[in-house]
């Protein structure tokens, strides 16, 4: 193990939030690359079903643990001695974070600190953090580049920004390279459609499969920058395991805005005779348009959202991929 640390090879990767939507795809992608992976998750929103493939690998282990349990997390890191950590565990619901700002701080800021400290004491070389487009707030300057001022409008976005700020200095202070990836609207298999706070694509897709009408909040002309989960997992894995990639802040997005009405058209081309949508009042605090500029991630990380929207929507119809 010491030899690998000295040669710069990244072979042992710790993943927090491993049983979640993005976490489980990330574990699968790491295992496909032959990495040894340990997943941590408290299973609050994640599920072991998502890890069915990963759990078949001898090189995968899982610990049901909370990232806020400082001494347990320190022990898990010390036992595993990761070369890199991918920190995805979070309180992911914006409305729940608004209602419970202390819980949001505890998990989404202090949890990040606990993970980063545990990693740095094991001489972990890289830490990749799941940040969010929520750090930008309501910017008028679209597409959003990383140079755009941050102005989060909710507790969740504020905590993501705070986590970025506490991670970035680790490069100088602990020689641990931090990469903060600002995900836009991620979609794909294993995104739980049962939660009312789930992404619109999983909610609409489930409704179409069940032959039920979808509810559109607003006029349906709002746009989002949707990006397929396997493309995200690929970029996360590259950021964690490619020792020559520089850290920093990167948007992970497609650079294309899709309206909800276009989403419905895409679903209608797969599910014939879907019921007419119901239209309701726009959701309070909803962004009208969200669009990221992926240039920096493309130029520096070599990231491209290779899955077209039509292809991603088709893949979503095959459960449990
Ligand atoms: P998810 O809910 O499926 O995954 C989060 C995982 O973290 C879950 O498995 C959950 O059980 C676990 N978890 C939560 N609190 C924990 C704790 N205290 N200790 C240990 N585990 C804990 O959500 P996701 O969409 O896969 O999100 C993954 C990350 O990506 C999150 O950090 C989220 O904020 C970020 N993100 C997601 C999106 C998106 O579009 N899905 C967009 C921007 C950012
Ligand atoms: C997403 C994130 C949020 C983050 C924000 C940052 C998810 C689930 N939410 O919110 O954490 O802060 O990006 O930019 O990923 N809609 C409907 N009907 C539905 C569900 C949704 O019309 O049944 C609409 C919403 O009102 C919204 C759009 O679809 O206009 C997208 O909603 P959603 O998938 O929840 O994502 P964001 O609001 O972009």
């Amino acid at each position: 193990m010491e030899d690998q640390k000295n040669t710069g090879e990244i072979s042992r990767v710790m993943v927090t939030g491993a049983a979640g939507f993005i976490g489980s795809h990330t574990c699968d992608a790491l295992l496909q690359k032959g990495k040894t992976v340990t997943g941590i998750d408290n299973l609050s929103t994640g599920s072991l079903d998502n890890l069915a493939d990963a759990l078949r690998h001898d090189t995968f282990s899982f610990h049901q643990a909370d990232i806020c349990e400082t001494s347990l997390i320190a022990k898990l890191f010390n036992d595993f001695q990761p070369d890199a950590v991918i920190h995805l565990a979070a309180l992911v619901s914006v409305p729940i974070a608004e209602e419970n700002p202390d819980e949001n701080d505890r998990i989404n800021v202090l949890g990040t600190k606990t993970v980063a400290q545990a990693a740095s004491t094991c001489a972990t070389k890289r830490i990749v953090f799941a940040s969010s487009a929520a750090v930008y707030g309501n910017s008028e300057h679209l597409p959003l580049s990383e140079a755009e001022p941050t102005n989060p409008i909710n507790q969740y976005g504020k905590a993501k920004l705070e986590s970025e700020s506490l991670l970035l200095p680790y490069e100088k202070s602990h020689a641990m390279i931090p990469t903060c990836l600002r995900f836009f609207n991620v979609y794909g298999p294993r995104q739980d459609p049962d939660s009312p706070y789930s992404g619109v694509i999983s909610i609409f897709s489930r409704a179409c499969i069940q032959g039920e009408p979808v509810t559109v909040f607003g006029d349906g002309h709002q746009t989002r920058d949707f990006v397929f989960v396997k493309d995200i997992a690929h970029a996360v894995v590259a950021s964690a395991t490619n020792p020559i990639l520089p850290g920093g802040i990167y948007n992970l997005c497609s650079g294309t805005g899709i309206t909800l009405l276009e989403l419905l058209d895409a679903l209608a081309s797969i599910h014939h005779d879907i019921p007419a949508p119901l239209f309701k009042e726009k959701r309070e605090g909803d962004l009208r348009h969200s669009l990221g500029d992926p240039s920096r991630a493309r130029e520096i990380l070599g990231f491209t959202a290779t899955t077209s929207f039509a292809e991603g929507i088709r893949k979503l119809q095959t459960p449990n991929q």
Side-chain angles (χ1 to χ4, degrees):
M1 204 175 348
E2 269 314 305
D3 284 353
Q4 283 163 0
K5 281 198 184 283
N6 292 340
T7 58
E9 190 194 335
I10 308 275
S11 60
R12 303 173 69 77
V13 185
M14 182 78 100
V15 180
T16 75
F21 163 51
I22 300 171
S24 60
H25 286 285
T26 299
C27 290
D28 291 347
L30 285 164
L31 292 164
Q32 272 162 24
K33 281 180 74 98
K35 306 297 175 188
T36 300
V37 181
T38 282
I40 293 176
D41 202 297
N42 68 357
L43 302 180
S44 53
T45 56
S47 158
L48 285 181
D49 292 347
N50 290 336
L51 290 172
D53 288 347
L55 285 163
R56 285 189 204 106
H57 287 253
D58 293 342
T59 50
F60 180 74
S61 55
F62 177 76
H63 298 275
Q64 183 169 350
D66 194 297
I67 52 159
C68 300
E69 288 184 43
T70 314
S71 48
L72 175 58
I73 293 302
K75 181 181 182 318
L76 292 174
F77 271 80
N78 198 41
D79 289 351
F80 184 59
Q81 293 288 316
D83 300 311
V85 56
I86 296 172
H87 177 41
L88 306 171
L91 172 62
V92 297
S93 162
V94 173
I96 294 176
E98 278 314 278
E99 284 162 25
N100 303 282
D102 292 345
E103 191 64 353
N104 175 57
D105 272 357
R106 195 178 73 85
I107 300 173
N108 290 351
V109 182
L110 295 179
T112 304
K113 203 173 190 171
T114 298
V115 169
Q117 277 173 354
S120 64
T121 55
C122 298
T124 302
K125 287 179 280 209
R126 304 180 74 88
I127 182 163
V128 177
F129 170 62
S131 188
S132 167
V135 300
Y136 294 113
N138 265 317
S139 175
E140 302 273 295
H141 301 120
L142 302 181
L144 293 158
S145 79
E146 294 82 351
E148 194 61 33
T150 50
N151 185 22
I153 55 169
N154 51 43
Q155 299 293 329
Y156 169 85
K158 285 178 190 162
K160 289 290 182 189
L161 193 57
E162 220 178 302
S163 281
E164 288 186 358
S165 302
L166 76 84
L167 288 172
L168 292 172
Y170 270 86
E171 181 151 14
K172 274 204 178 133
S173 61
H174 290 81
M176 179 167 73
I177 297 174
T179 305
C180 301
L181 301 173
R182 293 177 176 169
F183 303 162
F184 280 63
N185 290 63
V186 188
Y187 73 100
R190 303 183 195 156
Q191 189 171 35
D192 179 9
D194 292 328
S195 161
Y197 310 120
S198 191
V200 65
I201 293 188
S202 68
I203 293 175
F204 279 15
S205 186
R206 161 69 72 91
C208 290
I209 289 168
Q210 296 181 336
E212 289 167 3
V214 304
T215 302
V216 175
F217 300 121
D219 61 9
H221 288 284
Q222 64 264 54
T223 53
R224 291 295 182 272
D225 186 326
F226 295 112
V227 57
F228 193 63
V229 66
K230 292 195 192 219
D231 294 335
I232 291 281
H234 185 71
V236 168
V237 168
S239 301
T241 61
N242 185 338
I244 63 165
L245 287 181
I249 293 174
Y250 302 91
N251 288 338
L252 286 193
C253 53
S254 70
T256 304
I258 304 275
T259 68
L260 294 195
L261 299 182
E262 286 169 330
L263 164 61
L264 283 174
D265 284 345
L267 287 167
S269 71
I270 299 168
H271 304 277
H272 303 291
D273 303 323
I274 60 173
L278 308 171
F279 285 86
K280 284 200 181 158
E281 278 294 288
K282 155 183 176 316
R283 268 193 328 206
E284 205 183 324
D286 239 14
L287 297 179
R288 179 71 175 159
H289 298 295
S290 174
L291 181 65
D293 178 351
S295 312
R296 185 174 151 80
R298 185 173 54 235
E299 282 154 24
I300 303 177
L301 302 181
F303 168 76
T304 35
T306 46
T307 310
S308 72
F309 186 64
E311 192 188 341
I313 294 294
R314 263 198 313 277
K315 284 186 173 166
L316 194 53
Q317 311 314 309
T318 319
N320 269 336
Q321 275 186 33

